[in-house]
Amino acid sequence: MKPTILDCTKAELCAAITPSFRAKQIFQWIYSQYVDDFDAMKNLPQTMRTTLQERYDIMPLHILNKEVSSDGTIKYLFALRDGKTVESVLLRMKEAQYDSNGELLHHAKYTVCVSTQVGCKVGCSFCLTAKGGFTRDLCAGEIVAQVLALKKDNNIAAERRLNIVYMGMGEPLDNLENLAKAITIFSDEDGLAISTKRQTVSTSGLSSRIDQLGAMNLGVHIAISLHAVDDTLRSELIPMNKAHNIASIIEAVKRFPIDTRKRVMFEYLMIKGKNDDRSSAKKLVKLLHGIKAKVNLIYFNPYEGSTYERPSKASMVAFQEYLIAHGLLCTIRDSKGMDISAACGQLKEKTDQEMR
Ligand code: SF4
């Protein structure tokens, strides 16, 4: 199997081809013109097009299934070249706005949630992806391709910038090298030009890797899937917590180079009867003391076979009010895509069943 050219940073491509200035043109064809055939790159000499074709593929995945929610959320299942599958989600954060004369005031705003691994080693007890175990890391090109495919499929103009969250299948920091490379490729001005400030790495809390990511100084944000305030419950929800406990995560966050205008996002998955009470809210306030933090409360989205339950709206609101009253920023995440298989791993599971 040939490597995908999407796996190359522009610097790598410059080093691989002669003359090197052609790398910029190739990037523009792929990421601005959405061309997926080297032969269509008309400003390249024929000999170079032939060489590229011999050496590389372009897209390393194709759309296998997709579900569109009534709120505009679109969930994709992509097939990779080895037949493995991963999910990505396109979230429509804001609709386009027009004035009374039909002139465009604001473009629609999108966030793309991408996968970094096929399966996952972390084994969170509430996660369907975890149930299938770990298969392999995605290469950087396979991470990049998800966003490119979503932009193409939705006719999102090349110049429209998106936000990216590394929050799909897999633990991004367990695939740090390829993640860092994908971040660099995404932010290339001749590529998709998605600034690192628009990219958020969401981690289940591999504290030593948070330090490694911080040392790379890429300028990305981090979000921590905290979910619990004591190690016993957190280890039940996220077994890896035994090796990377809450205290070690909080210390790593304090060391992470954070843009002074930004806050660290702490994701808190509310599960009925497990972590949605007042005493958990109190402990959370104490734990985050001294960190410029924002807490995002997430409704647990039950799936077939799960033993956990969705909390009531009243308990979510009470929890939020307590945090706000004690000086924390706190939001309740929109349950976007509630009418489709929106939780990580659900569309894959459903498609696998249909294909059996
Ligand atoms: S929730 Fe994320 S980190 Fe946890 S098992 Fe699922 S994919 Fe892995």
Side-chain angles (χ1 to χ4, degrees):
M1 200 188 295
K2 287 181 274 185
T4 163
I5 199 164
L6 303 189
D7 206 40
C8 298
T9 62
K10 202 167 68 212
E12 284 174 341
L13 203 52
C14 279
I17 60 172
T18 317
S20 61
F21 73 86
R22 297 287 186 192
K24 181 176 170 142
Q25 292 173 323
I26 296 167
F27 255 57
Q28 289 168 343
W29 278 115
I30 293 173
Y31 296 109
S32 299
Q33 306 294 323
Y34 298 156
V35 159
D36 56 9
D37 177 1
F38 290 114
D39 229 20
M41 301 181 180
K42 296 296 181 198
N43 59 355
L44 302 186
Q46 182 59 54
T47 47
M48 178 169 274
R49 282 186 256 159
T50 308
T51 308
L52 289 170
Q53 224 139 26
E54 284 165 3
R55 278 200 216 161
Y56 302 106
D57 281 341
I58 299 184
M59 287 304 274
L61 47 75
H62 66 269
I63 299 169
L64 191 62
N65 200 353
K66 107 178 170 182
E67 287 187 342
V68 183
S69 162
S70 54
D71 64 17
T73 302
I74 310 177
K75 181 143 196 174
Y76 287 83
L77 184 70
F78 290 113
L80 303 162
R81 291 179 301 170
D82 59 1
K84 307 288 182 241
T85 53
V86 286
E87 295 178 353
S88 315
V89 184
L90 180 75
L91 297 146
R92 197 179 275 269
M93 308 309 283
K94 237 184 204 171
E95 294 301 328
Q97 274 193 337
Y98 299 87
D99 68 11
S100 51
N101 300 318
E103 292 292 319
L104 182 70
L105 293 173
H106 301 290
H107 287 280
K109 286 195 172 159
Y110 300 96
T111 293
V112 181
C113 174
V114 298
S115 294
T116 50
Q117 295 178 315
V118 180
C120 186
K121 292 178 201 159
V122 175
C124 300
S125 58
F126 49 81
C127 171
L128 210 48
T129 298
K131 309 241 178 304
F134 172 76
T135 304
R136 70 170 174 88
D137 287 331
L138 295 188
C139 69
E142 290 169 326
I143 300 172
V144 170
Q146 295 169 55
V147 179
L148 188 57
L150 292 191
K151 282 192 88 171
K152 270 170 95 164
D153 193 50
N154 291 280
N155 298 315
I156 300 174
E159 68 276 12
R160 294 264 59 81
R161 313 267 158 108
L162 312 165
N163 296 317
I164 297 175
V165 284
Y166 300 92
M167 199 190 245
M169 300 168 79
E171 161 54 60
L173 296 187
D174 188 38
N175 186 13
L176 185 54
E177 203 180 309
N178 291 323
L179 170 77
K181 195 172 176 188
I183 290 169
T184 306
I185 297 170
F186 277 132
S187 62
D188 193 298
E189 275 304 317
D190 293 314
L192 290 173
I194 301 169
S195 146
T196 56
K197 288 187 172 53
R198 288 177 172 270
Q199 300 185 47
T200 303
V201 176
S202 174
T203 175
S204 56
L206 300 177
S207 41
S208 53
R209 297 286 176 92
I210 294 173
D211 282 331
Q212 285 177 30
L213 178 70
M216 290 175 174
N217 254 316
L218 295 170
V220 289
H221 300 306
I222 50 165
I224 309 291
S225 298
L226 192 64
H227 302 331
V229 285
D230 67 77
D231 283 315
T232 309
L233 176 60
R234 194 164 191 276
S235 299
E236 188 192 318
L237 296 173
I238 308 176
M240 192 203 58
N241 186 68
K242 293 187 187 97
H244 302 268
N245 66 14
I246 295 175
S248 74
I249 295 168
I250 297 294
E251 286 312 306
V253 168
K254 286 180 178 165
R255 290 188 293 267
F256 193 84
I258 295 157
D259 183 327
T260 46
R261 291 159 298 173
K262 297 284 179 182
R263 290 174 181 267
V264 179
M265 176 78 89
F266 287 86
E267 307 281 354
Y268 193 89
L269 184 69
M270 294 271 278
I271 302 174
K272 186 177 174 186
K274 283 277 175 191
N275 60 359
D276 60 345
D277 58 335
R278 172 61 61 92
S279 118
S280 299
K282 265 187 192 172
K283 284 184 189 163
L284 187 54
V285 169
K286 204 168 159 199
L287 202 60
L288 300 185
H289 180 74
I291 298 178
K292 217 172 158 201
K294 178 177 171 182
V295 178
N296 194 25
L297 303 178
I298 307 165
Y299 281 98
F300 175 69
N301 224 356
Y303 52 84
E304 219 180 293
S306 72
T307 51
Y308 298 127
E309 290 176 59
R310 185 180 167 87
S312 67
K313 189 173 179 195
S315 66
M316 288 289 268
V317 172
F319 201 99
Q320 179 190 32
E321 284 175 354
Y322 185 88
L323 297 192
I324 291 173
H326 290 79
L328 282 168
L329 276 189
C330 180
T331 49
I332 296 177
R333 191 200 284 175
D334 269 355
S335 291
K336 284 191 180 291
M338 276 297 288
D339 53 337
I340 59 170
S341 314
C344 165
Q346 277 180 320
L347 182 57
K348 177 178 163 58
E349 175 75 7
K350 199 158 120 187
T351 306
D352 285 352
Q353 276 173 9
E354 283 165 7
M355 287 167 74
R356 261 175 224 146

